[in-house]
Amino acid sequence: MKIAFIGLGNMGGGMAANLVKAGHELRAFDLSPAALTKAAENGCIAQPDPQGAVRGACAVVSMLPNGVIVDDFYHTHVIGHAPGDAILIDCSTIDVATARRVAGDAADKGYIMVDAPVSGGIAAADGGTLTFMVGGSADGFARAQPVLSAMGKAVIHAGGAGAGQAAKICNNMLLGASMIATCEAFILAEKLGLDLQTFYDISSKASGQNWSMTSYCPVPGVGPQSPADNDYQGGFAAALMLKDLRLAMAAAADTGANVPMGTRAAELYEAFNISGQGSTDFSGIIKNLK
Ligand code: NAD
């Protein structure tokens, strides 16, 4: 299948490479010459302009930084330029309202578009083990599914347009709050004189158990290997956690949802980023909480 891939950064670079490995013909566009060169090394056909990438494509896949860029890119370069029967798949993490608006504008011109944000970081993008949460029609999901399957271990239909983004920000709001709560539990355990490995052994088998503890423990040397064991390098950058929490706060304000724990998590990640830790893993917030 001829696929246009837009946005070949940390995530998109590996995703495009996996589509090439699956036998697709990839026409890649990115504003960054370095990203394009790397994509070409991975078997993509680098395109000097966006229209060259989307012309003749059966599918357009994008992995861009934010909603403003996605909105502009689709309105300027995709809608009215890609073939009318191309499936449009935006995998970027953006706000629900923009996802719905762009999909609606695409539908007005006869296109089928889905939002398909991901869970999983750069390693999962490289390894083809992302989880995709897809928002769009049943037809859109059926058409996007084979493309997304080549880049992920799970592709789940979340509901109509914007539902993928909704699922993503709700999940990451829960993750942000649960990471902070897990850090706090270890901090208090230490103050109370508990051995942290012993506390882990108890809590990981008791009702406090959660993913931030048992799969991504913020304490070095405790639990399975995690960014904490590498001085909080790699993993999921705190700046991206803050981005997702801001999207969740905007969605909560739009809908009137009461999210006090999410609000506090957003405040604490704002402070963590202001302290200059935005590029470190989000579990590193334990250092600031201490
Ligand atoms: P990135 O900054 O590494 O890559 C984005 C790419 O888009 C860059 O190469 C940039 O040059 C390109 N770009 C920007 N504007 C463009 C335009 N107008 N036209 C063409 N290309 C353009 O970011 P990333 O880490 O790959 O993240 C991409 C998306 O994935 C974001 O929405 C992010 O929130 C989401 N995400 C990231 C992670 C992660 O761990 N990095 C995890 C889950 C989701």
Side-chain angles (χ1 to χ4, degrees), residues 6-13 15 29-33 35-36 50 62-67 69-70 72-73 77 91-94 117-123 130 168 172 235-237 240 243-244 247:
I6 314 301
L8 298 129
N10 289 322
M11 297 292 290
M15 292 163 69
F29 176 74
D30 194 295
L31 292 177
S32 152
L36 271 187
S62 52
M63 195 53 165
L64 292 163
N66 59 50
I69 292 173
V70 168
D72 178 62
F73 194 90
H77 302 301
C91 298
S92 327
T93 302
I94 68 170
V118 307
S119 177
I122 299 162
L130 293 166
K168 163 89 186 180
N172 279 21
F236 183 49
L240 287 172
K243 172 192 169 182
D244 294 353
L247 291 173

Side-chain angles (χ1 to χ4, degrees), residues 50-287:
Q51 276 93 354
V54 305
R55 197 177 302 124
C58 303
V60 176
V61 181
S62 52
M63 195 53 165
L64 292 163
N66 59 50
V68 173
I69 292 173
V70 168
D71 192 328
D72 178 62
F73 194 90
Y74 275 85
H75 283 108
T76 310
H77 302 301
V78 181
I79 299 171
H81 297 281
D85 58 355
I87 176 77
L88 311 183
I89 307 172
D90 180 40
C91 298
S92 327
T93 302
I94 68 170
D95 60 289
V96 175
T98 299
R100 287 186 177 147
R101 189 176 59 253
V102 177
D105 292 346
D108 288 346
K109 300 282 181 193
Y111 293 93
I112 298 180
M113 180 169 186
V114 298
D115 50 293
V118 307
S119 177
I122 299 162
D126 289 345
T129 58
L130 293 166
T131 293
F132 291 90
M133 307 155 220
V134 185
S137 64
D139 192 21
F141 177 74
R143 291 192 54 204
Q145 210 264 352
V147 177
L148 298 174
S149 292
M151 303 183 280
K153 63 175 184 197
V155 184
I156 301 162
H157 192 192
Q165 300 295 350
K168 163 89 186 180
I169 56 170
C170 291
N171 180 73
N172 279 21
M173 183 178 76
L174 176 59
L175 175 61
S178 65
M179 176 55 78
I180 291 168
T182 302
C183 292
E184 288 179 1
F186 277 107
I187 291 167
L188 180 58
E190 189 169 38
K191 293 269 187 210
L192 291 170
L194 285 173
D195 173 69
L196 294 186
Q197 180 64 51
T198 305
F199 174 63
Y200 174 88
D201 292 342
I202 294 166
S203 196
S204 63
K205 292 181 183 58
S207 48
Q209 185 276 335
N210 71 95
W211 186 90
S212 295
M213 172 178 284
T214 51
S215 295
Y216 212 89
C217 189
V219 179
V222 177
Q225 186 78 19
S226 70
D229 300 311
N230 190 29
D231 197 21
Y232 305 98
Q233 300 307 305
F236 183 49
L240 287 172
M241 173 51 83
L242 177 59
K243 172 192 169 182
D244 294 353
L245 286 167
R246 285 176 177 161
L247 291 173
M249 292 308 100
D254 281 352
T255 57
N258 184 29
V259 290
M261 301 286 282
T263 302
R264 189 70 188 120
E267 289 166 1
L268 290 166
Y269 275 105
E270 288 281 0
F272 188 52
N273 275 264
I274 288 167
S275 75
Q277 302 296 310
S279 63
T280 62
D281 182 72
F282 79 114
S283 65
I285 198 163
I286 194 168
K287 292 187 290 187

